[in-house]
Amino acid sequence: MLRENPESAAVRIYGTNISATAPALMACDVAEVEPYRVNDHVYAEFALDFCRRHGIDVLIPPRRLDALAGRAEEFARAGTRLMCAPPAAVNVLTSKSRTYEAARAAGIPVPEWRVVRDADQLRTAVEELGRPGESLCIKPAGEYSAFGFRIFDDGPLRLRDLLEAPRPLVSVTAVADALKRAADEEEKVPSFIVMPYLEGPEVSVDTLSAPGGRLLAAVPRAKDGRYRLLLDDPEATGIARAVVEHFGLAYLANVQLRRLRGASVLLEANPRPSAGVYQTAFSGLNLPWAAVRLLVHGDPGELPPPRLGGRIAVTETAAEVHPAVTAPAAHGS
């Protein structure tokens, strides 16, 4: 979408990844390996050095936002504009529990939840949140993507369970035992969230906003098997607008919703572009390019009303992967 921009501007793309053979690097003109498992200061210094060495005009970080947010002036001195949400928003939105607390205080609909770190807290949360006919789930409270997500199911294994697609099921007892064992072995235990399992298709809203949180465009989409639906969903857009405005999000962000007892609630909000933002191209908008224009010129360019209500197919392709690396980055600690 950056290369096929509406202004036919020449774009040269530089990318980094912790793996030299990451398929995404095939889309880059220049690629490098970035440091893995380093602290925020080391990662920020790596990013600044990369931008200086390559004369980067715009940096769009999809991760490690906590290391980069608030450093816009440092990058500006290196000649690079940093596309990133404000540090306060990044600090809240990279924690699911802080996100829910702040959203609830702002009147944004969120599910009930409890934060747990040990077996006793887990059992109490399950007792308090459990409702007949509804399932509960558990997931890390921090920014772990879908890693660690499990649905509680204490029922016996049935034959049909063995014949269907596997689901991430776990018993309450098994999780409680794991938490107790970690505590007994003095292992560091992160915070987890226990909440209702939200059924139904997830609605993911890709947003473009001006600094300060003024929403400029929003494209809701949902999955339907191999298809993606571009939704005309005023309720989802309204919640996304409230999130963007309340947290003061800028440029590209993503708001994820699911339904609980018939109403849409916030699942999570990401102050960065989503992995599926490319699907919004079929709405007639080029959100990534509009965000770059907004960052560089203060103007996103023409933003026609998005074409919503359509369905697109997601297909797979295969390509041989070769390391696309100039030189390994130095690993710090």
Side-chain angles (χ1 to χ4, degrees):
M1 294 173 80
L2 291 174
R3 295 187 197 279
E4 298 175 5
N5 62 79
E7 299 171 41
S8 300
V11 175
R12 187 168 174 82
I13 296 176
Y14 296 69
T16 65
N17 196 281
I18 60 173
S19 170
T21 56
L25 295 183
M26 295 175 61
C28 301
D29 298 296
V30 177
E32 282 189 15
V33 171
E34 67 176 39
Y36 183 47
R37 291 182 176 175
V38 295
N39 63 38
D40 287 350
H41 175 75
V42 171
Y43 188 83
E45 289 300 314
F46 157 77
L48 280 164
D49 177 67
F50 184 94
C51 290
R52 292 190 190 103
R53 285 187 288 112
H54 294 291
I56 300 300
D57 297 309
V58 174
L59 173 60
I60 309 176
R63 59 187 176 276
R64 298 302 300 262
L65 302 186
D66 50 349
L68 303 178
R71 293 178 175 263
E73 291 186 3
E74 293 177 66
F75 280 93
R77 288 194 290 270
T80 302
R81 290 179 172 87
L82 174 65
M83 186 182 293
C84 192
V90 170
N91 179 61
V92 172
L93 296 178
T94 49
S95 162
K96 294 180 179 67
S97 57
R98 290 196 295 268
T99 297
Y100 288 166
E101 290 168 1
R104 183 176 62 181
I108 297 168
V110 297
E112 304 160 273
W113 84 96
R114 298 289 188 275
V115 177
V116 305
R117 294 192 65 178
D118 60 40
D120 290 339
Q121 292 175 346
L122 171 69
R123 293 192 179 94
T124 299
V126 170
E127 182 178 347
E128 292 177 349
L129 296 178
R131 293 179 60 156
E134 292 185 357
S135 299
L136 298 176
C137 64
I138 185 170
K139 56 188 175 181
E143 191 180 30
Y144 285 81
S145 187
F147 296 118
F149 171 77
R150 298 290 187 276
I151 302 169
F152 285 129
D153 186 350
D154 288 314
L157 186 68
R158 299 160 298 184
L159 177 61
R160 72 181 188 186
D161 297 326
L162 299 174
L163 301 176
E164 296 177 346
R167 302 176 74 206
L169 302 177
V170 69
S171 71
V172 174
T173 299
V175 176
D177 288 347
L179 291 174
K180 184 178 185 306
R181 189 160 47 250
D184 291 343
E185 296 174 359
E186 299 184 347
E187 185 178 351
K188 184 178 180 180
V189 179
S191 296
F192 289 85
I193 280 185
V194 176
M195 58 182 282
Y197 172 59
L198 306 179
E199 296 276 3
E202 178 182 301
V203 175
S204 181
V205 187
D206 292 300
T207 66
L208 171 72
S209 56
R214 181 167 62 90
L215 186 70
L216 301 176
V219 180
R221 52 188 173 82
K223 294 180 180 180
D224 180 16
R226 289 184 177 269
Y227 297 100
R228 302 294 182 268
L229 310 178
L230 301 180
L231 304 176
D232 186 0
D233 189 336
E235 181 186 35
T237 300
I239 295 175
R241 181 187 300 276
V243 170
V244 167
E245 290 179 350
H246 178 71
F247 292 105
L249 299 183
Y251 311 111
L252 298 175
N254 177 256
V255 178
Q256 298 173 17
L257 313 170
R258 280 185 181 261
R259 297 189 74 79
L260 175 63
R261 300 166 203 140
S264 293
V265 295
L266 177 67
L267 180 62
E268 63 181 68
N270 297 305
R272 54 170 173 76
S274 69
V277 70
Y278 69 93
Q279 298 164 17
T280 63
F282 293 90
S283 74
L285 291 173
N286 190 326
L287 295 182
W289 183 252
V292 169
R293 271 196 57 103
L294 182 62
L295 178 63
V296 175
H297 302 295
D299 171 20
E302 184 180 359
L303 294 173
R307 298 192 305 268
L308 302 176
R311 183 173 69 161
I312 59 178
V314 176
T315 59
E316 296 179 352
T317 186
E320 187 175 3
V321 178
H322 300 285
V325 179
T326 55
H331 287 226
S333 60

